[in-house]
């Protein structure tokens, strides 16, 4: 049986329109009730930590938006596209041909197969809408999708929208590696393939894979992808491969799409983001790539959710890709991110904090096991009833002056303890911000356990 819908609304009486010509006067007891798809637990983590950042004047390394200006050539492409009369009306639901053609070229090279821009690409409103469309396309209510924890929180919200059921398998730190002893590698976070297999039921339809991974920074290896691919084929599952950070891998780590493994093209939806690729998260352009049958299903969902994505920014991204490839932009951008990663990790080293060195994406997972929050420390009501991970992040915002996001938000309730002492910092920020973070992180030393 479905749980009853609840509402958080309170207040006096309002008038609700009913049948034409009639008005129903009602009291708070009969106010409209929201559906269980949108029920929540109050303030979301992003809003809460943005508010706390403001309140305490902290430096915000919480949310993963870029703190530096978008590249000039991308903005120029945006300006030109808006002024181009051909972009002022609806794009085809599948996306502007200019962008699909450009993407087909890029993904044909990257995937080693000819991608058909007419049938194998759908342009979406950011990577996120591609994820939502894929869930909607392949899940009936009650069907299950397997998520690897820590998992980007939007997966769960999207699943709720389509009444899909998340099942969880945690990535865990390799036996013999102590995450509290300095720096560990994102490679040390492993997927236990038997644990993944154990989550499969007759209702399982999708495995969600995220490489490069947010927040661990793990770039899955061919062997790991092969193991996931074998299970997907054995159980006839779709793999939703979230590759929004595909252009941000470091130290020569190759990003490998599971879609390119034998037998996987027919069952993989790859979701990508121009926001991450070009530093324009506000433009809300993304795309899904996959076999025609998969894209036909995604397109139906997409046509129903948003019908079509804004035209000018699609054309702008198509043109930005051309410039980017002609000028080596992605290689330059990768070096810039690598330098930012170095700035943040050197600051963590100097503060005596342990962390996972990411090989992709722009997040660092800090393990603040040695930071001792003073006994009797007071938390505001919005944090007081939260877990230890939230409290540690609050402490960092208030006392250290640096905001991160509590990774317990990326775990299911039974596994949230795995996030204890963890803080996610985003390093997609300018040098002066990261330098200020370095100064502030020195304050950690006043709270470091001497026995740690
Ligand atoms: N997947 C992951 C793992 C992400 O981190 C994000 C953005 N934070 C998205 C998808 C969504 O990307 P977009 O902003 O293009 O919707």
């Amino acid at each position: 049986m479905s749980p009853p819908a609840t509402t958080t609304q309170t207040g006096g009486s309002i008038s609700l329109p009913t049948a034409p010509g009639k008005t129903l006067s009602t009291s708070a007891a009969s106010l409209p009730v929201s559906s269980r798809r949108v029920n929540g637990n109050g303030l979301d983590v992003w809003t809460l930590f943005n508010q706390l950042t403001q309140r305490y004047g902290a430096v915000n390394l919480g949310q993963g938006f870029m703190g530096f200006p978008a590249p000039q050539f991308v903005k120029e492409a945006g300006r030109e596209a808006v002024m181009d009369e051909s972009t002022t009306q609806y794009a085809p639901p599948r996306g502007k041909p200019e962008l699909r053609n450009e993407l087909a070229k890029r993904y044909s090279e990257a995937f080693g197969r000819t991608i058909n821009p007419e049938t194998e690409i759908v342009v979406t409103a950011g990577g996120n809408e591609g994820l939502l469309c894929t869930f909607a396309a392949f899940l009936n209510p009650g069907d299950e999708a397997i998520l690897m924890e820590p998992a980007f929180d939007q997966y769960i919200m999207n699943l709720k929208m389509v009444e899909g059921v998340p099942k969880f398998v945690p990535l865990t730190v390799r036996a013999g590696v102590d995450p509290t002893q300095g720096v560990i590698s994102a490679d040390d976070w492993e997927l236990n393939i038997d644990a993944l297999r154990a989550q499969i039921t007759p209702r399982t339809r999708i495995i969600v894979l995220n490489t490069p991974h947010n927040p661990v920074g793990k770039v899955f290896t061919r062997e790991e992808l092969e193991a996931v691919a074998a299970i997907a084929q054995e159980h006839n599952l779709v793999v939703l491969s979230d590759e929004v950070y595909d252009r941000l891998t470091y130290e020569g780590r190759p990003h490998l799409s599971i879609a390119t493994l034998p037998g996987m093209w027919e069952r993989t939806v790859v979701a990508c983001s121009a926001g991450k690729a070009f530093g324009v998260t506000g433009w809300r352009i993304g795309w899904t790539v996959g076999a025609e049958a998969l894209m036909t299903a995604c397109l139906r969902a997409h046509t129903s959710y948003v019908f079509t994505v804004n035209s000018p920014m699609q054309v702008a991204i198509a043109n930005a890709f051309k410039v980017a490839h002609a000028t080596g932009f992605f290689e330059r951008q990768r070096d810039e991110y690598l330098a930012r990663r170095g700035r943040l990790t050197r600051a963590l080293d100097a503060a005596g904090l342990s962390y996972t060195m990411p090989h992709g994406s722009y997040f660092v997972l800090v393990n603040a096991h040695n930071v001792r929050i003073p006994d009797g420390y007071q938390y505001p009501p919005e944090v007081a009833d939260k877990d230890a991970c939230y409290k540690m992040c609050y402490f960092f915002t208030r006392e250290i002056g640096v905001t991160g996001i509590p990774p317990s938000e990326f775990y299911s309730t039974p596994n949230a303890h795995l996030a204890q002492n963890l803080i996610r910092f985003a390093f997609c920020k300018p040098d002066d911000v990261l330098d200020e973070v370095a100064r502030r992180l020195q304050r950690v030393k006043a709270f470091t356990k001497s026995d740690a």
Side-chain angles (χ1 to χ4, degrees):
M1 202 181 82
S2 308
T6 59
T7 179
T8 53
Q9 288 152 321
T10 55
S13 73
I14 58 165
S15 289
L16 286 178
T18 53
K22 279 191 182 172
T23 302
L24 174 69
S25 189
T26 183
S27 67
S30 54
L31 281 171
V33 173
S34 58
S35 79
R36 62 177 180 268
R37 286 190 291 278
V38 296
N39 286 343
N41 303 320
L43 218 51
D44 68 272
V45 68
W46 314 103
T47 311
L48 172 60
F49 277 90
N50 285 339
Q51 286 178 359
L52 293 172
T53 300
Q54 292 268 312
R55 192 183 305 163
Y56 300 119
V59 178
N60 196 351
L61 300 190
Q63 210 165 2
F65 59 85
M66 292 78 196
F68 38 80
Q72 193 62 24
F73 76 93
V74 179
K75 290 193 283 197
E76 290 296 344
R79 189 209 315 263
E80 277 167 27
V82 169
M83 296 311 291
D84 174 353
E85 190 52 36
S86 76
T87 70
T88 52
Q89 307 302 330
Y90 297 124
R94 211 180 263 285
K96 288 290 267 186
E98 293 92 329
L99 181 54
R100 281 185 285 121
N101 290 337
E102 190 59 31
L103 291 171
K105 218 184 288 173
R106 301 297 154 214
Y107 284 90
S108 295
E109 280 164 21
F111 287 4
R113 66 181 306 126
T114 304
I115 309 281
N116 185 342
E118 301 303 324
T119 55
E120 295 179 323
I121 292 172
V122 176
V123 178
T124 56
N128 189 51
E129 199 235 340
L131 303 173
L132 176 62
C133 289
T134 310
F135 289 134
F138 297 101
L139 298 177
N140 286 311
D143 285 346
E144 297 168 3
I146 298 180
L147 309 182
M148 298 174 200
E149 298 176 298
F152 177 46
D153 60 340
Q154 202 77 38
Y155 302 145
I156 303 210
M157 289 185 256
N158 286 346
L159 281 170
K160 207 166 164 185
M161 283 292 151
V162 301
E163 300 187 38
V165 178
K167 299 293 287 284
F168 299 97
V169 55
L171 298 171
T172 47
V173 174
R174 187 194 305 277
V177 172
D178 183 349
T180 67
Q181 294 303 307
V183 186
I184 68 166
S185 159
D187 292 338
D188 291 327
W189 288 74
E190 290 184 324
L191 172 65
N192 178 334
I193 211 74
D194 294 329
L196 171 62
R197 197 181 287 283
Q199 290 303 318
I200 291 176
T201 76
R203 298 298 305 260
T204 310
R205 300 285 176 269
I206 296 179
I207 300 176
V208 180
L209 179 73
N210 176 208
T211 183
H213 187 272
N214 167 14
V216 171
K218 180 180 174 67
V219 178
F220 282 73
T221 63
R222 178 177 292 275
E223 292 69 36
E224 290 169 322
L225 296 179
E226 280 171 353
V228 175
I231 292 184
Q233 291 177 24
E234 187 185 329
H235 295 275
N236 192 21
L237 307 178
V238 168
V239 173
L240 170 50
S241 189
D242 179 343
E243 302 180 15
V244 300
Y245 300 103
D246 56 354
R247 287 172 180 79
L248 294 177
T249 61
Y250 311 116
E251 295 138 343
R253 281 307 167 106
H255 164 71
L256 181 63
S257 176
I258 195 168
T260 63
L261 298 189
M264 290 307 290
W265 174 247
E266 293 70 24
R267 59 179 67 256
T268 304
V269 176
V270 179
C272 297
S273 164
K276 309 293 181 187
F278 290 103
V280 286
T281 58
W283 284 19
R284 310 309 301 134
I285 300 288
W287 48 88
T288 52
V289 185
E292 178 171 354
L294 303 175
M295 289 303 102
T296 302
C298 287
L299 178 64
R300 291 208 180 109
H302 168 75
T303 307
S304 137
Y305 282 130
V306 299
F307 179 52
T308 176
V309 174
N310 84 82
S311 299
M313 294 307 132
Q314 295 191 51
V315 171
I317 292 297
N319 289 330
F321 261 118
K322 291 196 178 88
V323 177
H325 280 273
T327 60
F329 166 72
F330 291 120
E331 293 72 24
R332 236 178 14 259
Q333 177 175 250
R334 185 187 307 244
D335 290 346
E336 287 166 7
Y337 274 97
L338 186 59
R340 291 178 192 119
R341 187 190 74 166
R343 262 190 151 75
L344 178 58
T345 55
R346 280 194 300 277
L348 296 170
D349 292 336
L353 288 165
S354 299
Y355 58 91
T356 296
M357 181 65 86
H359 303 304
S361 83
Y362 45 61
F363 303 103
V364 174
L365 265 191
V366 169
N367 189 321
H369 69 98
N370 56 341
V371 174
R372 195 175 162 280
I373 299 177
D375 292 342
Y377 190 78
Q378 294 295 307
Y379 300 94
E382 60 271 38
V383 177
D385 62 345
K386 294 288 202 307
D387 57 37
C389 180
Y390 257 79
K391 288 179 176 152
M392 183 62 84
C393 285
Y394 171 79
F395 183 78
F396 264 70
T397 298
R398 172 126 203 212
E399 307 300 336
I400 311 299
V402 182
T403 293
I405 287 295
S408 56
E409 197 63 26
F410 294 175
Y411 282 89
S412 56
T413 306
N415 286 336
H417 65 278
L418 296 172
Q420 195 170 12
N421 296 323
L422 298 184
I423 306 174
R424 189 196 79 169
F425 287 140
F427 59 82
C428 46
K429 307 293 168 185
D431 290 354
D432 59 336
V433 168
L434 295 174
D435 289 346
E436 179 58 23
V437 165
R439 277 189 287 279
R440 291 180 179 215
L441 283 178
Q442 287 297 309
R443 298 177 191 163
V444 161
K445 290 178 176 168
F447 302 100
T448 302
K449 280 184 216 165
S450 54
D451 59 344

